[in-house]
Every structure is written in C-alpha cells, then in structure tokens.
Amino acid sequence: WQTFTTDLYLEISDTITPGSYNVLVVLEYTLESGGGGIRLKEEKLIEVKIDPIPEPVFVGSYWYKYSPGPGSAGAVLLAMYRNLEIPVMRSLVAQVYLPSGFILTTTGSTEGNVTPIVSSSLQQLGELLASQQIPIQGGMQVQAGQGDFIIVPVSLIIGSNVSTGEYDFSVKLYFID
C-alpha cells in the first residue's frame, strides 16, 4: 500500500469573478505492483472556491501641512486607508489617477505610482504626522498587515485654472497577498 501526495498550484486571473468553479484533475500513473506495470488514468472533478479580496477601508483624505489653492505646487494630499481583513499585503503600490487640472509632481502627469506609508497604530500614525517629515516618493517595498493604516502621500501641482471645490481622485492599491 503506497500513497502519493502532491500540491496543485493555480494561477488565478485578476479578471475572474468570485464564486465556485469545478476543475477537472486528470491523474495518469503506472501501477507497478504485481507485474509489469499497468497504465491507469483517473479523472476527478474538484470544486475550487474563489473568494473576493476584501478591500482596505477608505478612512479619509487630508491636506498635509496646509490647505492649498489654485496655482499651488508641492501640496501633499494624504489618502488614508485601513486594512481590516487581509493578513499581509506585500509589495504594496498605489496607482493614483487625478482629475483634469491636477498633476503629480513625481511623474508630471495625471497618473502614476506612489509608494504608500504604513503605520501599525494610531499612536505611530500621530507621531508620523507630527514629525512633519512624510516621505513623498519612496522606492522601498512596503508591506501592510491586518489592522495597519495605509497612507498614500500624493504630491500635487494644482493648476491656476482649477476652481476651489471638491474633486474626485482615484487610488488603486496593488499588492501580493
């Protein structure tokens, strides 16, 4: 009596929708006991469940140091999130998309990657904000754990033709779980 155990690794496309999927697993092997070997084939249908990835919760966005106006350069907007459910988010990067009239100082365009800052507690977050030294563009790989705060510092040039008011910015967080 012998057994064989193996792990099956699946690459899940980012376009797949959450749900249950039936996957056909085909096992082909040679049975060597009792003679010259018999070639066998077994097919098993297994169920694979794809759960949705819970998104970090948006906490709010705040101007850092001062509230800028039209024509300001180097103003920093902090977009804050909290990771409530994902055990670990490795190689965390934020893709930022800005509305017309706003330019990222790091790329000179309306979109680009921003390296987030991670804080594990409210106290650490308060100390970071009080230090007046938020790094605008890192380069280091960032990792966030469950419960961590994720701060996306967006350094902007605000066009002189932009009216005061509220604008929608888009931030997508990319990571390896």
Side-chain angles (χ1 to χ4, degrees):
W1 175 267
Q2 289 186 344
T3 61
F4 174 76
T5 303
T6 188
D7 293 320
L8 301 175
Y9 295 95
L10 300 175
E11 185 172 321
I12 308 297
S13 168
D14 61 354
T15 60
I16 196 164
T17 57
S20 294
Y21 296 88
N22 290 320
V23 176
L24 180 64
V25 176
V26 179
L27 304 168
E28 291 189 43
Y29 58 95
T30 303
L31 182 63
E32 294 288 344
S33 64
I38 303 170
R39 190 84 178 138
L40 297 173
K41 179 179 178 180
E42 293 185 41
E43 295 182 2
K44 300 287 182 188
L45 200 59
I46 61 171
E47 182 181 26
V48 175
K49 292 182 181 179
I50 306 295
D51 294 324
I53 296 177
E55 295 180 3
V57 176
F58 178 68
V59 175
S61 58
Y62 311 93
W63 289 110
Y64 182 59
K65 294 187 182 179
Y66 66 95
S67 182
S72 295
V76 178
L77 182 68
L78 301 177
M80 296 186 176
Y81 299 84
R82 184 126 195 234
N83 173 23
L84 296 176
E85 297 188 45
I86 303 167
V88 65
M89 301 167 75
R90 294 180 187 87
S91 301
L92 186 58
V93 173
Q95 178 76 38
V96 178
Y97 302 91
L98 305 177
S100 179
F102 294 84
I103 302 292
L104 282 168
T105 60
T106 54
T107 65
S109 71
T110 58
E111 64 180 69
N113 291 341
V114 175
T115 303
I117 301 162
V118 175
S119 172
S120 59
S121 68
L122 282 173
Q123 179 181 351
Q124 185 183 31
L125 179 60
E127 290 169 0
L128 179 67
L129 294 174
S131 74
Q132 300 287 313
Q133 296 181 1
I134 297 275
I136 300 307
Q137 188 62 19
M140 306 181 326
Q141 288 197 353
V142 176
Q143 177 173 306
Q146 191 170 5
D148 285 350
F149 292 92
I150 301 164
I151 302 100
V152 181
V154 183
S155 181
L156 303 167
I157 298 169
I158 303 172
S160 57
N161 61 339
V162 173
S163 302
T164 57
E166 294 185 16
Y167 292 86
D168 291 327
F169 291 51
S170 177
V171 176
K172 290 184 180 180
L173 297 173
Y174 293 93
F175 60 92
I176 300 169
D177 63 346

